[in-house]
Amino acid sequence: MESPTVMSASLEDQFRGRFYDSTLSKLELAAIDWLDGFYQLEHLLSTRAWTIRLVPGGASPELKFAALVHDAERFFPGGPSGTPDTAFDDPDYLFAHSIRSADIVEAWLREQPDVPESFIRRVRALVMRHEIGGNTEEDILQAADSLSWFDTLDWLAYEWASSGKLPYEKVYAKLDWMLTRIRPTIAMENALGIYRDAMASLEGRNAVAEMDLKDRRRIAGSKKVLLGL
């Protein structure tokens, strides 16, 4: 049997540099520094990557940035929370989460040098709509959020259910909701395979069940690992 140190290194190697991207802007890199250590940093980077994939003609800078920071509020204590009885599509939670993220992101952007007012206002609007969609860009962001969830937070779904934090039925409902809310055809074409993989993770039918979930959480929040620094 491999020693825990070897196993940890092997897990880290699977994710090292996965989100290296030479096109990351100075502002995006600053935001990654800001959110370094957030266990959903990998999810945010993946949402940005999916956003780029879903807009063949090129995603706008505002859309890419909003994708990168859309869940920022969860990194900061004091945000809204649900209970085991609260549905994942509960509008009270979704709106409170989206508004708090938009407020926190806007405040951070206003502390950065030379960020145009039009950029700040559009990013805020996108973050406000990332759970419910709306126009074409807002639907893309919502879909990218779902695709990224399947792609990078399957371990969290398994952790919730296997630890007893949430009943399996509720976590199944979360994954189903994330799938059925997707609107763009190009996104749905990409969704079914990774949705099935996420279900396999939830049910303990793949490598996620053998992972050190504490280490997986650390990796998911590590700028150094994810960007291969």
Side-chain angles (χ1 to χ4, degrees):
M1 179 181 293
E2 292 181 292
S3 70
T5 300
V6 173
M7 289 180 69
S8 177
S10 177
L11 182 61
E12 187 171 300
D13 287 346
Q14 293 178 40
F15 297 93
R16 183 170 299 282
R18 181 181 178 190
F19 293 100
Y20 170 78
D21 184 344
S22 62
T23 71
L24 283 161
S25 70
K26 183 177 179 181
L27 186 64
E28 287 173 323
L29 289 170
I32 293 168
D33 286 342
W34 175 46
L35 298 171
D36 189 22
F38 178 30
Y39 77 96
Q40 290 194 24
L41 179 60
E42 180 186 10
H43 166 60
L44 297 176
L45 287 162
S46 177
T47 303
R48 177 186 179 276
W50 274 110
T51 294
I52 293 169
R53 287 181 62 180
L54 295 177
V55 186
S60 70
E62 293 88 349
L63 180 56
K64 289 188 288 186
F65 189 83
L68 185 61
V69 297
H70 69 276
D71 282 337
E73 69 92 5
R74 291 187 178 133
F75 191 35
F76 303 96
S81 61
T83 70
D85 297 325
T86 304
F88 278 106
D89 61 351
D90 175 61
D92 286 324
Y93 171 77
L94 295 180
F95 285 118
H97 159 63
S98 299
I99 291 168
R100 186 169 188 257
S101 271
D103 288 346
I104 287 172
V105 168
E106 179 181 358
W108 183 84
L109 281 171
R110 292 193 181 281
E111 295 174 351
Q112 310 310 304
D114 304 320
V115 180
E117 179 67 22
S118 59
F119 182 92
I120 294 172
R121 292 177 66 84
R122 183 60 190 139
V123 167
R124 178 180 175 84
L126 285 162
V127 172
M128 288 273 284
R129 304 282 298 193
H130 80 267
E131 294 283 8
I132 59 174
N135 64 22
T136 298
E137 279 199 319
E138 292 157 2
D139 283 353
I140 288 290
L141 178 56
Q142 182 195 49
D145 183 24
S146 287
L147 293 169
S148 173
W149 219 101
F150 301 145
D151 216 13
T152 63
L153 288 173
D154 56 340
W155 63 271
L156 183 62
Y158 176 75
E159 181 183 76
W160 283 341
S162 63
S163 69
K165 181 178 180 179
L166 293 173
Y168 274 92
E169 293 77 11
K170 182 167 184 180
V171 188
Y172 280 121
K174 163 72 171 179
L175 296 180
D176 284 345
W177 171 65
M178 295 292 279
L179 178 68
T180 56
R181 72 179 192 165
I182 294 173
R183 298 187 184 108
T185 301
I186 188 174
M188 185 56 75
E189 289 171 349
N190 282 276
L192 294 179
I194 54 175
Y195 165 79
R196 286 192 292 266
D197 289 343
M199 281 294 188
S201 297
L202 172 58
E203 295 167 358
R205 294 187 283 111
N206 60 25
V208 169
E210 306 301 321
M211 287 181 180
D212 178 336
L213 295 180
K214 183 177 180 181
D215 202 32
R216 181 68 182 90
R217 180 180 286 262
R218 175 189 65 81
I219 290 166
S222 172
K223 173 192 74 172
K224 181 178 179 181
V225 173
L226 298 171
L227 297 185
L229 303 178

